[in-house]
């Protein structure tokens, strides 16, 4: 970590006075300090970022950094710099939690004043961020919001409360999206080049038909039906417009229903020192919001204080691990003291879910200014022309030109003939005029005949048929046109978590002792001619299935392992979405699921109540392990420990002798140690999270010679007993691939579609998963988001064709990649399930969201919803898309042949 180069603010007195006494002026952002600070990436890594850049507006966001008559020190633009990506540089530049309190005129303990209406004074940026004036624990009174008492008439709270605050930062409502009327949708459907060309042809055809029907003589018994063709073309146009408009109107109504479904829920905040429940829509910047397990976070903010708060940000950022939050004051102190800041994360992000702990946070961004709000607003862009539409538009132009040229040529030839015959003709003038009119009619008829009037109808019917069939294949098509667009797709950018993988950590491999092993990789012999496959297979070729492995274990070994999982755990059983599940960290829940499915573990509460626990040792990030001491029926004590496998191995002097026979120990040899280290390394290269299990038996507790804890003599000091342990085994935990993903990726590649992985996870995990499902191949490039977004346009264009994995990517990185691919002429399909995927889903030509695990935001942004959440269904969408294109090609072949012949 680089040292913070602290500088001094350019204390310009004129600037300060302008800030404090400029009621009708636009507030300015002060000059930046010269300070190097870290920027927290989506996965918690530190990148050096100067303070000068920390609050610099991004291109196109300058308006967010300006607010007229701003009585608060900050603007929404400055607050948004805290997140996306998470920036400790911006946090420090804004004066930490104390600076935010002063600038937002609030208090971390008592929150906003319930009586606040209009603010009666100004706070400058410089005053708010100058943290040397007062201790961090208390904000001076002059910075707190006061009620403007100039208006004596009482008004409704909704009208008068927090007027200035709402004007600058807005409340937590998003502007309502106005649904289009059926007439607007019909007009949009009609604005198609083929339909416009058909309309011109229809008008001409009808005009000529009416003239021929009523203006020319007919033989006796001859039907006067020349007008029918023009009317028939108009009916075809009407059917196309109505079908397209009604389909889109149904989608619009679904959108309105979806908006109504989003219930107005309550949330706990502190105002005037009292806890109260308010509507989620009424949260404001400066509010102090209380957090509890299970809460969906509706706004962005900074963590004030709490106990063991952990958030699942997978739907908001794509980060699959639970993120522990650090109190803002601790982070600020560490920055001032130049301490390492890795893993320090005070940021609370909208769209995340609290999984553990209780606490409070200070709201910094609401509504359209929050990361969730920005994502929702980005989904409101209008859709673009599809590849088939653009091809048909080109065809319409060609037909118009060709028909026009043929008509002109015929008219010129016939007109010359007419002029030549005119010289010696004895016909009356009316007959000559009629002959000329006939020439004109024949020429114009050529234009009308050239236009394939059945084409738009054929396309619409083919799409409608394909979408109903796709529904049976688990593809719910929300936007009719996306079906044919998918047939033209040249690349798929897929999210990892929940799309390629199950978003459910599972035990996929393990070893007890050094000999008994199981793994998720099939023990099939590799091709003898493939040397790489031979070398890759040497590690896993002896692995057996989990069921075979468990059946081979001795009964007391199974019980020991089951106790190590069930009793030595802090996760518990609960209900989520009406289903019984385990609640806790993803590692713990994966182990409990393994115990329940394979080791005969009953309900966790029963297992724990049946065990006589004498001491619990909670997980400690320094030791990287946790433990429990259990008293047996024979009066002996057993210490069970689990934790990071490579560290656990260092505490062992013994190893279980043979897990298939009984719980007996043997001394750990150098070969044993080397073999176990090799197994752990192998799991690590497969990007598995490894957990080691140890045990040790004692005759008494606390053991003789071990120190006891000062406050409880019955509890031993853990450091004194964590030695001479017996190594039981190690397991590898991973978010496993969905079934059929490898085959689906291969099918896409064979069909000429380039598959890329774009994820918020770390690069090692991303590469391992991408390699496993066949996305990351030899010669391909894997890159991280922060590195990718810094590339110049020319460099980006060189790298993108070989880019197979983009890791640690923010929502904006995904959107940039998709946009650049489209500019390079690719037709892009994007898959995703989280809120963080929405901008890319919307930008793509076709967005696929997950029907089961997908968030409402992702579904709303997508064109097709995968009802079974399976990547494999994309191959079926591709197949039907190509079927539609083939159907249109065949129809054109037939139609144009008929028309040209005619």
């Amino acid at each position: 970590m680089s040292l913070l180069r602290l500088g001094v603010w350019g204390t310009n007195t004129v600037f300060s006075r302008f800030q404090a006494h400029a009621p009708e002026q636009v507030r300015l952002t002060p000059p930046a300090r010269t300070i190097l600070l870290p920027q927290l990436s989506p996965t918690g890594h530190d990148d050096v970022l100067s303070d000068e850049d920390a609050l610099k507006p991004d291109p196109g966001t300058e308006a967010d950094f300006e607010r007229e008559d701003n009585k608060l020190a900050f603007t929404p633009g400055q607050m948004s710099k805290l997140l996306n990506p998470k920036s400790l540089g911006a946090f420090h530049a804004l004066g930490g939690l104390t600076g935010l309190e002063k600038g937002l005129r609030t208090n971390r303990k008592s929150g906003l004043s319930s009586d606040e209406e209009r603010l009666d004074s100004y706070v400058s940026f410089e005053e708010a961020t100058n943290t040397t004036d007062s201790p961090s624990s208390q904000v001076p009174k002059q910075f707190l919001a006061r009620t403007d008492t100039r208006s004596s008439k009482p008004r409704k709270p909704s009208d008068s409360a927090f007027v200035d605050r709402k004007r600058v930062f807005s409340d937590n409502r998003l502007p309502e999206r106005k649904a289009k009327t059926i007439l607007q949708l019909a007009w949009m459907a009609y604005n198609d080049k083929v339909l416009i060309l058909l309309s011109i042809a229809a008008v001409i055809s009808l005009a000529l038909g009416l003239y021929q029907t009523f203006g020319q003589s007919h033989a006796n018994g001859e039907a006067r039906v020349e007008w029918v063709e023009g009317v028939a073309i108009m009916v075809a146009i009407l059917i196309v417009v109505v079908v397209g408009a009604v389909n889109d109107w149904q989608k619009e109504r679904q959108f309105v229903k979806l908006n109504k479904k989003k219930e107005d829920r309550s949330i706990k905040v502190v105002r005037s020192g009292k806890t109260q429940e308010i509507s989620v829509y009424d949260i404001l910047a400066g509010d102090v919001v209380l957090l509890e397990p299970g809460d969906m976070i509706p706004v962005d903010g900074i963590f004030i204080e709490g106990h063991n708060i952990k958030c699942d940000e997978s739907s908001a950022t794509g980060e699959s691990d639970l993120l522990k939050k650090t109190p803002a004051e601790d982070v600020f102190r560490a920055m001032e003291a130049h301490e390492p800041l890795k893993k320090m994360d005070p940021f609370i992000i909208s769209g995340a879910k609290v999984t553990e702990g209780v606490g409070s946070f200070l709201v910094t961004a609401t509504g359209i200014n929050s990361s969730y709000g920005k994502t929702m607003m980005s989904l409101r862009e209008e859709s673009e022309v599809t590849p088939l539409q653009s091809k048909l538009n080109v065809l319409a132009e060609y037909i118009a030109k060709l028909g026009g040229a043929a008509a002109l040529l015929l008219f010129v030839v016939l007109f010359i003939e007419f002029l030549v015959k005119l010289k010696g003709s004895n016909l009356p003038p009316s007959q000559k005029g009629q002959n000329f009119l006939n020439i004109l009619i024949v020429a114009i008829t050529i234009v009308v005949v050239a236009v394939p009037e059945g084409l738009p109808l054929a396309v619409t019917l083919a799409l409608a048929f394909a979408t109903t069939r796709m529904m049976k294949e688990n593809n719910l098509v929300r936007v009719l046109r996306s079906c044919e667009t998918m047939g033209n797709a040249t690349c798929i950018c897929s999210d990892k978590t929940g799309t390629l993988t199950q978003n459910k950590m599972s035990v996929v491999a393990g070893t007890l002792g050094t000999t008994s092993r199981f793994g998720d990789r099939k023990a099939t012999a590799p091709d003898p001619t493939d040397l790489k496959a031979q070398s890759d297979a040497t590690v896993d070729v002896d692995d057996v299935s989990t069921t075979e492995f468990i059946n081979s274990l001795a009964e007391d070994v199974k019980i020991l392992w089951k106790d190590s999982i069930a009793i030595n755990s802090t996760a518990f059983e609960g209900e989520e979405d009406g289903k019984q599940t385990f609640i806790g960290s993803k590692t713990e829940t994966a182990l409990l699921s393994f115990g329940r499915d394979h080791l005969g573990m009953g309900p966790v509460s029963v297992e724990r109540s049946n065990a006589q626990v004498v001491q619990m040792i909670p997980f400690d990030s320094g030791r990287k392990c946790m433990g429990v001491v259990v008293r047996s029926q024979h009066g002996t004590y057993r210490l069970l420990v689990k934790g990071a496998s490579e560290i656990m191995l260092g505490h062992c002097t013994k190893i279980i002798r043979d897990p298939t026979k009984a719980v007996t120990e043997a001394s750990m040899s150098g070969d044993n140690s080397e073999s176990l280290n090799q197994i752990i390394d192998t799991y690590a290269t497969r990007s598995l999270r490894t957990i080691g299990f140890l045990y040790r038996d004692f005759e008494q507790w606390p053991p003789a010679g071990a120190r006891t804890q000062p406050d409880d003599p019955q509890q031993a000091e853990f450091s004194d007993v964590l030695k001479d342990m017996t190594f039981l085994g190690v397991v590898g935990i991973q978010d496993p691939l969905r079934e059929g993903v490898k085959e689906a990726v291969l099918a896409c590649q064979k069909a000429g579609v380039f598959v890329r992985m774009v994820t918020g996870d770390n690069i090692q995990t991303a590469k391992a998963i991408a390699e496993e499902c066949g996305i990351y191949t030899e010669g391909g490039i894997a890159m991280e988001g922060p590195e990718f977004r810094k590339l110049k346009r020319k460099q980006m264009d060189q790298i993108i064709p070989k880019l197979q994995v983009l890791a640690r990517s923010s929502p904006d990185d995904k959107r940039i990649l998709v946009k650049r691919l489209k500019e390079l002429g690719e037709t892009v399909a994007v898959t995703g399930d989280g809120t963080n995927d929405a901008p890319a889903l919307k930008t793509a030509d076709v967005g696929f969201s997950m029907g089961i695990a997908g968030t409402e935001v992702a579904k709303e942004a997508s064109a097709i919803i995968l009802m079974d959440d399976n990547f494999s269904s994309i191959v079926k969408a591709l197949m039907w898309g190509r079927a539609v294109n083939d159907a249109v090609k065949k129809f054109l072949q037939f139609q144009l042949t008929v028309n040209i012949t005619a």
Side-chain angles (χ1 to χ4, degrees):
M1 175 58 61
S2 63
L3 291 178
L4 307 175
R5 290 210 311 273
L6 291 169
V8 183
W9 284 100
T11 49
N12 187 324
T13 315
V14 177
F15 182 87
S16 303
R17 284 179 184 163
F18 174 82
Q19 289 288 74
H21 303 96
E24 300 303 324
Q25 303 299 322
V26 173
R27 299 297 300 276
L28 302 179
T29 305
R33 288 177 281 188
T34 54
I35 181 169
L36 282 181
L37 289 162
Q39 177 170 316
L40 201 68
S41 75
T43 49
H45 297 283
D46 291 339
D47 302 318
V48 172
L49 182 74
S50 73
D51 195 25
E52 192 176 334
D53 296 328
L55 296 178
K56 198 175 178 183
D58 293 322
T61 64
E62 291 84 359
D64 290 339
F65 285 75
E66 295 175 0
R67 284 292 184 272
E68 281 193 17
D69 189 23
N70 188 0
K71 294 172 184 176
L72 300 162
F74 307 129
T75 59
Q78 289 164 336
M79 294 289 99
S80 70
K81 295 300 285 183
L82 289 166
L83 292 160
N84 194 26
K86 297 173 181 176
S87 171
L88 287 176
F91 174 64
H92 194 281
L94 292 164
L97 183 60
T98 304
L100 288 166
E101 271 185 288
K102 291 180 186 177
L104 294 173
R105 303 181 71 170
T106 183
N107 184 287
R108 71 183 77 175
K109 299 286 184 193
S110 58
L112 295 176
S113 166
S114 297
D115 301 324
E116 182 188 321
E117 293 181 2
R118 292 184 182 277
L119 300 171
D120 59 355
S121 61
Y122 291 83
V123 177
S124 72
F125 187 99
E126 192 174 15
E127 287 171 332
T129 53
N130 184 2
T131 54
T132 55
D133 287 349
S134 62
S136 60
S137 60
Q138 191 175 1
V139 178
K141 286 181 181 176
Q142 68 263 31
F143 292 111
L144 296 176
R146 291 192 293 276
T147 307
D148 184 353
T149 55
R150 283 176 292 181
S151 175
S152 58
K153 289 182 182 177
R155 287 172 293 178
K156 290 180 183 176
S158 55
D159 295 333
S160 60
F162 308 105
V163 174
D164 287 323
R165 198 174 293 274
K166 284 178 183 174
R167 181 175 52 76
V168 175
F169 284 101
S170 84
D171 57 15
N172 201 32
R173 287 175 176 82
L174 295 179
E176 274 192 33
R177 183 177 177 177
K178 195 179 175 185
K180 291 182 176 69
T181 64
I182 195 155
L183 290 175
Q184 286 173 313
L185 293 167
W187 177 248
M188 284 165 65
Y190 179 72
N191 280 327
D192 178 274
K193 280 191 179 175
V194 178
L195 286 180
I196 290 166
L197 187 64
L198 270 177
S199 302
I200 296 165
V203 169
I204 294 168
S205 179
L206 185 63
L208 292 177
L210 290 170
Y211 169 74
Q212 287 174 317
T213 302
F214 301 109
Q216 289 186 326
S217 56
H218 290 72
N220 284 336
E222 189 182 344
R224 295 172 176 263
V225 290
E226 290 85 357
W227 57 271
V228 170
E229 189 178 345
V231 172
I233 297 173
M234 285 181 174
V235 169
I237 294 167
L238 190 67
I239 291 170
V240 171
V241 169
V242 168
V243 169
V246 167
N247 187 69
D248 287 343
W249 185 64
Q250 286 173 335
K251 297 294 173 288
E252 285 282 344
R253 287 188 69 192
Q254 281 175 8
F255 179 85
V256 172
K257 274 185 194 171
L258 184 72
N259 270 3
K260 284 179 182 171
K261 267 188 209 168
K262 288 173 186 167
E263 292 168 23
D264 175 12
R265 56 195 172 91
S266 295
I267 195 150
K268 287 180 183 173
V269 298
V270 178
R271 284 187 178 171
S272 296
K274 293 175 185 174
T275 302
Q276 52 182 272
E277 285 197 353
I278 63 167
S279 162
V280 77
Y281 296 133
D282 294 330
I283 302 172
L284 299 166
D287 260 321
V288 173
V289 177
L290 302 180
L291 295 172
E292 293 173 358
D295 281 356
M296 287 295 293
I297 299 166
V299 287
D300 295 338
I302 295 292
F303 184 45
I304 300 172
E305 62 184 356
H307 174 67
N308 198 33
I309 284 276
K310 286 185 184 174
C311 292
D312 179 1
E313 296 181 358
S314 58
S315 75
T317 64
E319 169 59 50
S320 56
D321 285 341
L322 294 182
L323 298 179
K324 188 169 183 178
K325 299 299 171 183
T326 316
E329 276 301 315
D330 295 353
V331 177
F332 194 76
R333 271 197 295 270
M335 295 173 87
E336 294 286 295
H338 314 280
E339 291 172 10
L341 298 172
K342 207 169 187 182
K343 300 275 183 188
M344 283 197 166
D345 183 0
F347 302 103
I348 304 289
I349 189 167
S350 49
K353 185 178 183 180
V354 181
T355 55
E356 291 179 40
V358 289
S360 61
F361 75 96
L362 179 70
V363 178
T364 57
T366 57
I368 57 171
N369 300 312
S370 68
S371 36
Y372 178 85
K374 282 179 180 171
T375 301
M376 286 300 283
M377 293 306 288
S378 71
L379 308 184
R380 299 190 179 183
E381 294 167 6
E382 294 301 320
S383 56
E384 298 168 7
V385 173
T386 66
L388 183 61
Q389 266 182 308
S390 57
K391 285 176 187 173
L392 292 177
N393 286 345
V394 171
L395 182 71
E397 284 176 26
Y398 281 146
I399 288 170
K401 287 173 185 174
L402 188 67
L408 185 66
L409 179 66
L410 186 67
F411 177 75
V412 168
V413 170
L414 292 176
F415 188 59
I416 291 168
E417 186 192 18
F418 171 74
L419 291 175
V420 169
K421 286 181 179 177
L422 198 64
K423 196 177 179 184
S425 175
N426 298 320
L427 294 170
S430 62
Q431 190 60 46
K432 288 175 185 175
Q434 185 62 51
N435 287 351
F436 173 74
L437 215 54
N438 288 343
I439 291 169
L440 193 63
I441 287 168
V442 169
I444 291 171
T445 304
I446 290 284
V447 178
V448 176
V449 168
V451 178
E453 62 276 0
L455 178 60
L457 193 58
V459 173
T460 306
L461 292 175
L463 286 173
F465 174 73
T467 52
T468 54
R469 292 298 298 270
M470 282 170 75
M471 186 63 208
K472 292 176 184 174
E473 307 271 15
N474 293 313
N475 283 273
L476 172 63
V477 180
R478 292 184 64 251
V479 180
L480 200 63
R481 294 187 305 252
S482 61
C483 179
E484 49 91 353
T485 308
M486 193 57 206
N488 294 278
T490 55
C491 74
I492 297 172
C493 295
S494 177
D495 184 36
K496 176 185 77 71
T497 311
T499 308
L500 295 169
T501 65
Q502 296 172 15
N503 195 17
K504 193 173 105 184
M505 293 299 248
S506 306
V507 175
V508 295
T511 303
L512 288 196
T514 55
T515 51
S516 298
R517 287 199 239 165
F518 71 95
D520 63 337
R521 294 188 176 180
K522 302 271 193 304
T524 50
D527 181 354
T529 59
D530 190 343
L531 296 177
K532 185 179 184 304
Q534 288 266 11
S535 66
D536 287 350
T538 51
V539 177
D540 293 298
V541 78
D542 295 327
D543 284 2
V544 295
S545 74
T546 311
T547 311
E548 282 178 82
F549 169 76
I550 297 296
N551 290 339
S552 71
L553 296 178
E555 201 57 40
D556 57 348
V557 174
K558 284 188 203 173
I559 292 167
L560 169 59
W561 199 12
K562 180 190 74 175
D563 289 348
S564 297
I565 290 170
I567 302 167
N568 187 18
S569 172
T570 55
F572 55 93
E573 283 160 322
E575 201 172 285
E576 216 169 69
D577 299 329
K579 292 179 186 173
Q580 279 292 320
T581 184
F582 294 113
I583 296 169
S585 78
K586 293 192 178 183
T587 304
E588 295 255 40
T589 54
L591 289 170
L592 287 173
S593 297
F594 178 79
R596 182 192 59 200
D597 298 342
H598 300 289
L599 295 171
M601 185 187 86
V604 175
S605 53
V606 174
E607 293 284 347
R608 289 174 187 166
S609 61
N610 288 342
Q612 198 176 339
V613 176
V614 294
Q615 185 173 344
M616 288 282 294
I617 302 101
F619 180 81
D620 181 89
S621 56
R623 290 191 297 256
K624 298 280 185 193
C625 66
M626 64 191 293
V628 66
V629 182
V630 183
R631 189 175 190 268
S632 73
Q633 294 171 343
H634 311 296
T636 57
Y637 297 85
R638 178 169 278 171
L639 169 63
L640 304 171
V641 179
K642 74 165 189 249
S645 51
E646 65 280 4
I647 296 170
M648 295 298 95
L649 201 54
H651 298 302
C652 296
T653 55
K654 297 174 188 170
I655 187 169
I656 191 166
R657 192 188 297 275
D658 187 350
T660 61
K661 291 182 179 170
V663 179
T664 53
E665 296 111 30
S667 293
M668 187 176 286
S669 63
D671 287 346
N672 290 151
S673 185
E674 193 180 327
S675 177
L676 286 168
N677 274 315
Q678 197 178 351
I679 289 165
I680 291 165
D681 287 346
T682 304
Y683 287 165
T685 56
R686 283 169 57 184
S687 200
L688 305 186
R689 186 179 297 169
T690 56
I691 303 292
F693 294 91
L694 321 179
Y695 73 95
R696 183 182 170 190
D697 291 326
F698 295 91
E699 289 299 321
Q700 65 181 69
W701 194 265
R707 289 173 300 161
T708 58
Q709 292 181 9
D711 55 341
D712 189 349
Q714 297 302 310
Q715 307 276 295
E717 281 290 344
F718 189 49
S719 55
D720 287 2
V721 292
L722 187 63
K723 57 187 179 185
D724 297 328
M725 302 293 289
T726 303
F727 189 85
L728 172 62
V730 58
V731 293
I733 296 174
Q734 190 188 46
D735 186 1
L737 284 182
R738 286 187 174 279
E739 211 173 313
V741 162
K742 285 183 194 176
E743 295 78 7
V745 169
L746 187 64
C748 286
Q749 289 166 340
K750 280 183 179 173
V753 179
F754 194 104
V755 184
R756 291 177 174 84
M757 181 196 282
V758 186
T759 177
D761 220 332
N762 68 69
I763 195 157
Q764 286 77 19
T765 306
K767 278 163 76 172
I769 298 286
E771 207 170 326
E772 200 177 336
C773 58
I775 292 173
Y776 188 48
T777 55
E778 203 174 330
I781 294 172
M783 187 179 271
E784 293 190 337
E787 193 184 340
F788 174 76
R789 75 177 81 110
K790 287 174 190 168
L791 294 174
K792 289 179 182 167
R793 193 167 176 145
K794 197 174 180 183
Q795 293 172 310
M796 213 177 262
D797 291 353
Q798 288 170 340
I799 282 170
I800 282 174
K802 290 183 181 177
L803 183 68
Q804 292 174 337
V805 178
L806 185 64
R808 271 186 65 203
S809 59
S810 70
D812 211 45
D813 295 329
K814 295 182 185 186
R815 193 186 55 77
I816 290 165
L817 173 64
V818 171
K819 200 173 177 185
R820 198 71 209 105
L821 280 165
K822 285 172 76 175
E823 285 168 5
L824 291 170
E826 302 269 10
T827 300
V828 189
V830 169
T831 73
D833 64 341
T835 303
N836 61 311
D837 299 312
L841 286 169
K842 192 69 180 175
T843 307
D845 293 295
V846 183
F848 287 89
S849 67
M850 305 294 129
I852 301 166
T855 61
E856 289 300 333
V857 181
K859 288 177 192 174
E860 186 48 48
S862 66
I864 298 175
I865 299 172
L866 301 177
M867 302 306 288
D868 59 350
D869 282 17
N870 202 330
F871 183 86
S872 311
S873 299
I874 293 169
V875 179
K876 290 165 187 169
L878 192 64
M879 181 187 77
W880 277 108
R882 292 190 176 185
V884 168
N885 280 320
D886 288 345
V888 172
K889 277 180 192 171
K890 285 172 184 172
F891 177 80
L892 269 175
Q893 210 172 356
F894 159 76
Q895 178 86 56
L896 291 178
T897 306
V898 170
N899 287 12
I900 289 166
T901 309

